[in-house]
Amino acid sequence: MREVAIVGAGMTRFGELWNQSLRQMFVEAAAGALNDAGADRVDSMYVGCMSGGQFTGQEHLGPLMADQFGMTGVASVHVESACASGGVALRQAFIEVAAGVSDLVLAVGIEKMTDGADVTNVLATAADQELEVYYGVTFPGLYAMIARAHMHTYGTTEEDLAWVSVKNHRHGAKNDKAQFPTEFTVEQVLSSSMVAEPLRLLHCSPVSDGAAAVLLCPLDQAKQYTDRPVKIVGSGLATGSLALADRDDPAFLDSVQKSGERAFKMAGVGPRDIQVAEVHDCFSIAEVCCIEALGFVERGKGGPAAKDGFTAIGGCIPVNTSGGLKAKGHPVGATGVAQAIEIFRQLRGEAGARQVENARLGLAQNMGGSGASSVVHIFQGV
Ligand SMILES: CC(C)(COP(=O)(O)OP(=O)(O)OC[C@H]1O[C@@H](n2cnc3c(N)ncnc32)[C@H](O)[C@@H]1OP(=O)(O)O)[C@@H](O)C(=O)NCCC(=O)NCCS
């Protein structure tokens, strides 16, 4: 297996991008990644997108995006794993370079959610149709059940969850690509509109448009493109049951634990070696469950981590320095690649006001549905 590095990154702002179509967002992000690396070609592309068909009516994204990018003819394929589509696209690109099949591979995540589709129902196609959606459950509802289970088992409070949003909005206020670069107080979170009890508006990631792209090549060719490549040292993918009811403990995300263990094993490191992490906070409770499953805190101890400052910039393990899905936005297929970009910037010392000092190893965790798929990457500055 060859060693693999990221040598360039580009992304659109996240938000309601009414002036940009799916293909225009793709081109902006992809061109940003190639320009960043000073590259003028790619050998292959992976396009992570949850549901171009249902959100915009457009499928067959592999060839369409290659063509729009002026690269008609290159290998290009669409990758889908619900909200983990971007992270899985990155993993496919990593595997292709590591295997020696291609040298310059682009991983792009993309989603356009604000074109008028029934967003809640489209998202719900990633849940179990027969066991969950048929009965009217939505993603806010599923995560509300996870939150209730966590509160019941471990004593996590609504205030604990509110602090996750407060912390991520504080981080996101320093990110000019964020959809909501706005700070909120605990009181504002706790008095925002109820969406699915106990989750309120300010516990939820928003509905977003956006695209993000990274360019990968073998580490031994990276200096052609940049003097600060970032190595991908671990990659792990795991699945779990779609239906919450099929899980032994609905408050614990098995797939996140397994994908983390696989990535840590490949990298030869453990959770305590990581200095900065992006995790999948589609709802505040998700961040709590993810930091437990990844081993950053003990099982059941994730609730107070944000309130205690443990996961804030300046804390023991800064989590979601970009603002996370909560503040940066969550164009579902784009999220996994955008997380990798935040870690890429952190490890190169380019994160500006949200820079974590002396960050050498970073982790990005991206998941689909209520945790039925999870993908983890570990990155090292060179
Ligand atoms: C939370 C949610 C239901 C809110 O949708 P909504 O009630 O239609 O909200 P609106 O679009 O009408 O926005 C109402 C206001 O809140 C703001 N807003 C919307 N979502 C927000 C969010 N998540 N965080 C902060 N502010 C938000 C809007 O900008 C708007 O502000 P304004 O009145 O000042 O213009 C929606 O964002 C949602 O479904 N989020 C979850 C998405 C999801 O499930 N993703 C997949 C995860 S697995």
Side-chain angles (χ1 to χ4, degrees):
M1 203 169 99
R2 300 195 291 186
E3 291 190 297
V4 180
I6 299 181
V7 291
M11 66 183 282
T12 64
R13 187 176 70 78
F14 281 6
E16 296 186 20
L17 308 184
W18 289 326
N19 294 329
Q20 279 182 288
S21 67
L22 194 67
R23 62 189 73 188
Q24 287 171 322
M25 294 190 307
F26 180 94
V27 170
E28 182 183 331
L34 262 69
N35 287 340
D36 195 27
D40 60 3
R41 67 171 180 92
V42 298
D43 299 328
S44 173
M45 300 179 358
Y46 288 90
V47 184
C49 183
M50 174 178 162
S51 196
Q54 293 194 79
F55 283 127
T56 68
Q58 183 68 63
E59 291 287 10
H60 215 178
L61 300 183
L64 174 72
M65 296 310 173
D67 190 38
Q68 292 299 310
F69 195 41
M71 304 249 175
T72 318
V74 302
S76 178
V77 66
H78 172 209
V79 175
E80 187 274 322
S81 191
C83 304
S85 300
V88 176
L90 172 61
R91 178 175 156 87
Q92 295 308 119
F94 166 73
I95 291 170
E96 185 165 331
V97 176
V101 174
S102 301
D103 284 343
L104 265 183
V105 181
L106 195 59
V108 187
I110 186 161
E111 207 77 57
K112 182 137 190 74
M113 302 170 75
T114 68
D115 261 7
D118 181 348
V119 172
T120 302
N121 280 330
V122 175
L123 290 170
T125 60
D128 190 312
Q129 291 298 308
E130 292 183 16
L131 297 180
E132 294 175 326
V133 183
Y134 178 81
Y135 299 97
V137 180
T138 61
F139 271 108
L142 288 167
Y143 277 94
M145 286 191 257
I146 295 176
R148 274 279 166 237
H150 206 279
M151 289 168 156
H152 175 76
T153 311
Y154 302 115
T156 301
T157 65
E158 291 184 28
E159 194 189 336
D160 290 337
L161 297 182
W163 271 100
V164 174
S165 301
V166 170
K167 184 257 302 172
N168 289 350
H169 274 283
R170 269 186 199 160
H171 294 172
K174 300 179 170 70
N175 185 351
D176 62 5
K177 302 282 191 195
Q179 181 167 358
F180 289 112
T182 319
E183 294 203 29
F184 292 103
T185 62
V186 170
E187 293 70 30
Q188 284 172 307
V189 177
L190 291 176
S191 60
S192 60
S193 322
M194 189 61 81
V195 174
E197 209 271 324
L199 301 179
R200 297 171 180 272
L201 176 75
L202 293 177
H203 289 285
C204 304
S205 60
V207 171
S208 320
D209 305 325
V214 288
L215 185 66
L216 277 61
C217 77
L219 182 64
D220 62 11
Q221 297 175 25
K223 292 286 175 185
Q224 294 173 34
Y225 303 105
T226 176
D227 54 6
R228 281 171 300 163
V230 168
K231 222 164 110 176
I232 301 179
V233 290
S235 176
L237 174 65
T239 55
S241 55
L242 255 68
L244 273 187
D246 284 337
R247 300 182 194 170
D248 291 339
D249 178 358
F252 190 76
L253 297 172
D254 279 316
S255 67
V256 179
Q257 183 181 43
K258 287 193 184 103
S259 55
E261 283 172 355
R262 288 169 191 166
F264 283 127
K265 187 174 176 205
M266 185 185 289
V269 300
R272 282 188 177 68
D273 298 311
I274 303 294
Q275 285 98 31
V276 57
E278 291 281 295
V279 309
H280 196 98
D281 61 320
C282 50
F283 298 91
S284 50
I285 183 63
E287 177 171 311
V288 170
C289 294
C290 289
I291 60 172
E292 291 180 6
L294 290 166
F296 292 137
V297 293
E298 275 175 48
R299 189 165 178 160
K301 302 274 196 245
K307 184 179 176 185
D308 294 348
F310 187 79
T311 47
I313 294 171
C316 286
I317 168 72
V319 170
N320 287 328
T321 55
S322 68
L325 286 54
K326 175 67 208 77
K328 185 178 71 220
H330 184 28
V332 285
T335 283
V337 180
Q339 291 176 318
I341 292 178
E342 177 67 9
I343 301 299
F344 177 72
R345 298 275 174 238
Q346 287 284 354
L347 297 180
R348 287 170 34 129
E350 295 172 344
R354 55 184 199 281
Q355 181 66 47
V356 173
E357 281 178 31
N358 301 318
R360 296 172 314 283
L361 269 180
L363 176 149
Q365 178 268 334
N366 180 207
M367 74 189 168
S370 56
S373 56
S374 174
V375 57
V376 172
H377 287 98
I378 297 173
F379 307 87
Q380 185 178 34
V382 175

